[in-house]
Structures are given as structure tokens and as C-alpha cells.
């Protein structure tokens, strides 16, 4: 059985949209793209782009299809 270890990219600098999406996770811990769009009024593609970048950076992780959760913000 393998364990997935999330490596947080401490050099990553979020864009304005990524910061808005990240704040949803800081407030709610878990969210799906629809919830993020409802809270932020960002367009679907902007949310998807931000999620992809934040996952790649290790700041959030995909729990399962359509559900993501906050991992950490190394700036804090």
C-alpha cells in the first residue's frame, strides 16, 4: 500500500484569482468548484485554473472527484 505525500511548494506565489480561491479554503477547509464560484463570483474557467495551480503547488489537494481541501499556506 502506498502513501501519497503532498509536497508544498514554498516558492509558489498565488495570483489574485488564486488568492481568492485560497481564501475559500481557509474559511471552509473543503470546497467544490461550484461552491467556490458561488462564493467568489469567478468564472468557471478561472476557478478551474486556480484549483489546478493550487493543487500543483501542494497548497490544496483533490480529495475525490469534484472535492478539494486545504493543505497549507506556507506563508503563514
Amino acid at each position: 500500500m502506498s502513501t501519497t505525500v503532498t509536497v508544498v511548494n514554498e516558492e509558489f506565489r498565488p495570483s489574485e484569482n488564486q488568492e481568492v480561491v485560497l481564501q475559500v479554503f481557509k474559511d471552509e477547509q473543503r470546497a467544490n468548484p461550484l461552491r467556490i464560484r458561488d462564493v467568489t463570483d469567478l468564472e468557471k474557467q478561472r476557478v478551474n485554473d486556480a484549483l489546478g495551480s493550487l493543487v500543483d503547488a501542494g497548497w490544496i489537494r483533490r480529495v475525490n472527484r469534484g472535492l478539494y481541501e486545504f493543505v497549507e499556506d506556507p506563508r503563514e
Side-chain angles (χ1 to χ4, degrees), residues 6-9 12 53-61 70-72:
T6 303
V7 177
V8 177
N9 179 352
F12 177 72
S53 297
L54 290 165
V55 167
D56 288 346
W59 292 28
I60 64 171
R61 72 179 180 100
F70 181 68
V71 173
E72 87 176 79

Side-chain angles (χ1 to χ4, degrees), residues 13 22 41 56 58 72 75:
R13 296 294 170 249
L22 187 60
D41 290 327
D56 288 346
E72 87 176 79
R75 300 171 297 178

Side-chain angles (χ1 to χ4, degrees), residues 48-67:
N48 291 341
D49 291 346
L51 284 172
S53 297
L54 290 165
V55 167
D56 288 346
W59 292 28
I60 64 171
R61 72 179 180 100
R62 184 173 174 227
V63 177
N64 59 39
R65 184 176 174 194
L67 181 63

Side-chain angles (χ1 to χ4, degrees), residues 1 4-5 18 46 61 69 73:
M1 187 164 124
T4 302
V5 176
Q18 292 161 352
R46 301 293 169 250
R61 72 179 180 100
E69 73 180 2
D73 182 341

